[in-house]
Amino acid sequence: MVKLLTKCALFFAINAMLATLVLYAHSATLTDKPWETDSVLLTMPQGEHPNLVFLGTSHTYLFSRFKEHHEMVEATLNRSMFNMALPQGGGITPARFYLETFWESGNTTDQVIYFLDPFVLYSAGANDNHKFVYFEPLRLSFLAKLVRNGYSYRRIITYVRSKFGAPWLFQKPEPLYHHIAPVPERFVTEARKNHRLDTLYPDGLPADVFATYTAEFERIVDLCEVHDTPLMVVIPPTLLGHEPGHASMMTWLESLKEERGIALFDWVDVMPDRTKFYNLDHMNLGGIETFMKEWLRPALDGVTNRRSGIPA
């Protein structure tokens, strides 16, 4: 019986090792361009220094989802950028995992910018049940990170199991139309706005969830302090106005600004022009360019100038 168990264990170990080698070899053939994959790990630089690192949800993901977007953002800001934002409402917990991996990979940056949407502070789905595990190649170090952090065991199993199916072997980014045209005026109604907010806050505003993910965000603040890297928090513009979680979030962020020295910009209402959006809360190409040129670039130049002792 002992011999049989030993042989079974050896057989399992050999096959697991072979499968891992095959997956590593396969991932080496995949793209490293952010507009060709939803994976952050595949695009992760090694020992490089992008000027800016972006974190956030699909609102930020769009800045690099198309090559034209990515190049326009870098040109407008006059800075190189590595975008680790996630589609489908990517939350704070995955963002922390990626930011840790960024620095563990020997990278540095001048500034981390978190484009923070209030709803991710009230959603377990955006944080502990997000689909990012489907997007990523099998990396033993990343698997160990998920386990060490006590991440959902179901998500961990999915992370491994999803690499043995056709969707991964032939993986492509989330299908998305290249939006240039504005959202039609007939779609910008209070009824549609309320419906959109209902989808973002299916569980309302649970205080315990808010406490969990504000604490998770403060771990990102800790990371930036350890790596002596300034953190800027931006509330991105939408046509939704102030979301239900906005007031509580801003009270908490203002305290972080006071106590931890983060830079904070609430720009949720700065672009009320519907022609800058392709739906109620996602900017089109023209909106992204306007936002970068009129809002983010001046803020970055001001922060850089103050850091250099030059009056902003």
Side-chain angles (χ1 to χ4, degrees), residues 38 61-62 65-66 87-88 131 135 171-179 278:
D38 286 336
Y61 162 84
L62 284 171
R65 177 58 181 82
F66 299 100
Q88 303 175 22
K131 293 181 66 175
F135 309 154
Q171 62 100 19
K172 293 181 179 179
E174 176 187 16
L176 191 66
Y177 180 72
H178 191 185
H179 294 279
Y278 74 81

Side-chain angles (χ1 to χ4, degrees), residues 6-256:
T6 301
K7 288 181 179 180
C8 288
L10 182 61
F11 176 80
F12 176 80
I14 291 173
N15 278 276
M17 182 177 66
L18 290 174
T20 301
L21 289 174
V22 169
L23 289 174
Y24 267 74
H26 170 68
S27 66
T29 69
L30 298 175
T31 183
D32 61 353
K33 303 295 189 295
W35 47 88
E36 295 177 354
T37 179
D38 286 336
S39 168
V40 173
L41 296 184
L42 286 176
T43 64
M44 183 70 67
Q46 302 290 322
E48 297 182 16
H49 183 88
N51 298 128
L52 304 172
V53 164
F54 286 179
L55 300 169
T57 66
S58 57
H59 299 150
T60 312
Y61 162 84
L62 284 171
F63 299 162
S64 297
R65 177 58 181 82
F66 299 100
K67 184 178 182 181
E68 182 181 2
H69 289 198
H70 187 96
E71 292 177 344
M72 179 272 292
V73 168
E74 291 193 320
T76 304
L77 297 180
N78 193 30
R79 292 164 171 86
S80 59
M81 171 264 289
F82 179 53
N83 193 339
M84 296 194 286
L86 287 171
Q88 303 175 22
I92 295 164
T93 304
R96 176 174 64 82
F97 293 158
Y98 288 134
L99 189 58
E100 288 177 347
T101 303
F102 174 82
W103 275 310
E104 290 164 359
S105 300
N107 301 301
T108 56
T109 185
D110 297 330
Q111 182 112 40
V112 174
I113 306 179
Y114 203 124
F115 297 85
L116 185 60
D117 295 289
F119 73 88
V120 300
L121 295 167
Y122 293 94
S123 171
N127 290 279
D128 294 325
N129 294 300
H130 191 268
K131 293 181 66 175
F132 78 97
V133 293
Y134 288 94
F135 309 154
E136 300 303 346
L138 184 62
R139 295 283 186 269
L140 295 181
S141 58
F142 199 72
L143 175 61
K145 182 184 296 295
L146 298 179
V147 173
R148 284 197 310 271
N149 280 273
Y151 202 59
S152 164
Y153 78 93
R154 292 182 182 274
R155 295 285 91 183
I156 292 174
I157 291 172
T158 299
Y159 174 53
V160 176
R161 186 175 58 192
S162 63
K163 303 304 165 289
F164 295 92
W168 171 253
L169 296 175
F170 303 100
Q171 62 100 19
K172 293 181 179 179
E174 176 187 16
L176 191 66
Y177 180 72
H178 191 185
H179 294 279
I180 298 176
V183 57
E185 186 174 5
R186 68 182 184 277
F187 290 166
V188 186
T189 65
E190 289 304 310
R192 287 180 178 271
K193 291 179 183 180
N194 290 334
H195 176 72
R196 177 57 175 160
L197 290 171
D198 287 343
T199 66
L200 294 176
Y201 294 86
D203 301 317
L205 301 171
D208 58 332
V209 176
F210 181 77
T212 296
Y213 297 119
T214 52
E216 184 68 26
F217 188 90
E218 292 186 33
R219 296 180 71 176
I220 289 178
V221 180
D222 294 339
L223 275 172
C224 292
E225 290 180 350
V226 166
H227 292 276
D228 196 25
T229 302
L231 173 63
M232 176 186 290
V233 179
V234 170
I235 317 306
T238 75
L239 296 177
L240 296 173
H242 288 189
E243 295 180 16
H246 182 269
S248 296
M249 179 190 69
M250 290 308 301
T251 299
W252 161 68
L253 286 174
E254 289 289 353
S255 68
L256 270 187

